[in-house]
Amino acid sequence: MLDYRTVNRANWDERAAAHAASPDYAVDRFAADPDFLSSVVRFDRPRLGDVAGLRGVHLQCHIGTDTVSLARLGARMTGLDFSGPALAQARRLASSAGVDVDFVEADVYDAADVLNAGGYDLVFTGIGALCWLPSVDRWAEVVGRLLKPGGRLFIREGHPMLWAVDDRRTDGVLALEFPYFERPEPSVWDDGGTYVATDATFTHNVTHEWNHGIGEVISAVIAAGLQVTGFVEHDSAPWEALPGRMTLGDDEEWRLTERPERLPLTYTLQAVRTG
């Protein structure tokens, strides 16, 4: 079996240009409006607070829309991703937006070895990052090594309950079909599409993914020497996670059309490195 990173990187490399061209990422608006922020960061702002002057790193930054948005809020940002084509789009975005961001190509598990370990006030991770990693414990260890004492982790992520739901059903039933807890073996998918609006066609369609239960994520963060300071579950997500069963709100977030209180779609976790 090919290494999961090789398989997943081929998938992300091929989709980077399509994502940057899609209206869902709104790349053109960053150049047109100096105050424009990504929808993810706009949603997070009440919990993020003031990040001006903080030295931050965005792990698994993809094409950099959230990274650039944090830089626009005054943070001194570094973005890290394992996809060279994605980082090429991110650098182009930062240049057009007129912000100074360093982008580093590396696997997330190597972040503390290639970046300034112990030198960051903020580690930020956005939605759809942890599912690509086989071990949440290893990820949390990296976060702990990157943060300076008193530094903060901020992560908003897809809820493991959402990842466990069978998104192929059309009968309205919310059925748990896929793993909730982390397993050694990945879930292997073969999907020719992507999560944004695009007419592009792709050839690298296989991905290897893992779910991580809420308890596993929180326990990993604590074991890495961080103290949890906030945890919120949300009934919304910034993409149509269950197609045909969701409604887009004025806040640019998608919710279940019928009884949205049934399912948490995302969560926000914050923690501070002690010691």
Side-chain angles (χ1 to χ4, degrees):
M1 184 179 68
L2 288 174
D3 181 83
Y4 74 93
R5 287 164 294 195
T6 301
V7 173
N8 290 343
R9 186 184 297 114
N11 182 280
W12 284 105
D13 285 355
E14 190 177 33
R15 285 158 174 76
H19 288 180
S22 171
D24 294 318
Y25 270 104
V27 165
D28 292 344
R29 293 191 62 185
F30 283 92
D33 181 357
D35 296 320
F36 181 74
L37 304 173
S38 69
S39 61
V40 170
V41 171
R42 287 199 302 275
F43 181 91
D44 289 334
R45 282 195 75 177
R47 283 161 290 275
L48 268 170
D50 185 7
V51 299
L54 299 184
R55 186 174 185 189
V57 57
H58 179 186
L59 300 179
Q60 297 166 272
C61 68
H62 191 38
I63 64 170
T65 52
D66 297 339
T67 328
V68 167
S69 297
L70 291 167
R72 281 189 160 174
L73 294 177
R76 295 173 293 153
M77 291 303 299
T78 296
L80 180 137
D81 200 272
F82 74 164
S83 169
L87 291 181
Q89 297 294 338
R91 293 185 180 102
R92 188 174 296 116
L93 169 64
S95 176
S96 67
V99 297
D100 184 16
V101 178
D102 294 322
F103 289 103
V104 177
E105 183 177 342
D107 186 81
V108 65
Y109 285 145
D110 298 326
D113 298 318
V114 301
L115 300 177
N116 181 24
Y120 292 93
D121 304 295
L122 174 69
V123 170
F124 178 91
T125 297
I127 288 175
L130 294 187
C131 63
W132 304 99
L133 305 178
S135 170
V136 73
D137 288 328
R138 286 183 63 193
W139 167 82
E141 181 184 2
V142 169
V143 171
R145 290 177 60 197
L146 288 169
L147 287 170
K148 63 176 60 174
R152 177 171 54 134
L153 165 68
F154 188 102
I155 174 171
R156 185 183 179 214
E157 181 55 281
H159 201 288
M161 282 295 294
L162 170 62
W163 301 139
V165 168
D166 187 350
D167 59 353
R168 303 164 299 184
R169 295 183 71 120
T170 59
D171 58 4
V173 174
L174 293 177
L176 299 181
E177 177 65 21
F178 307 115
Y180 173 87
F181 296 107
E182 181 182 301
R183 301 184 305 168
E185 64 275 12
S187 296
V188 179
W189 306 101
D190 189 346
D191 185 354
T194 188
Y195 55 84
V196 301
T198 179
D199 294 326
T201 57
F202 308 106
T203 57
H204 296 286
N205 299 322
V206 175
T207 59
H208 293 183
E209 302 176 35
W210 291 262
N211 206 356
H212 311 283
I214 288 293
E216 293 171 332
V217 175
I218 292 176
S219 295
V221 166
I222 294 172
L226 279 67
Q227 179 180 355
V228 174
T229 57
F231 177 73
V232 182
E233 295 172 294
H234 309 287
D235 68 355
S236 67
W239 84 106
E240 191 178 8
L242 299 173
R245 302 169 65 178
M246 306 184 77
T247 299
L248 182 63
D250 293 338
D251 58 356
E252 300 182 79
E253 292 275 307
W254 292 86
R255 292 171 176 83
L256 286 175
T257 303
E258 297 183 6
R259 294 178 289 147
E261 67 277 5
R262 289 182 292 164
L263 181 68
L265 299 179
T266 57
Y267 67 89
T268 299
L269 172 65
Q270 297 194 64
V272 173
R273 181 187 165 190
T274 57

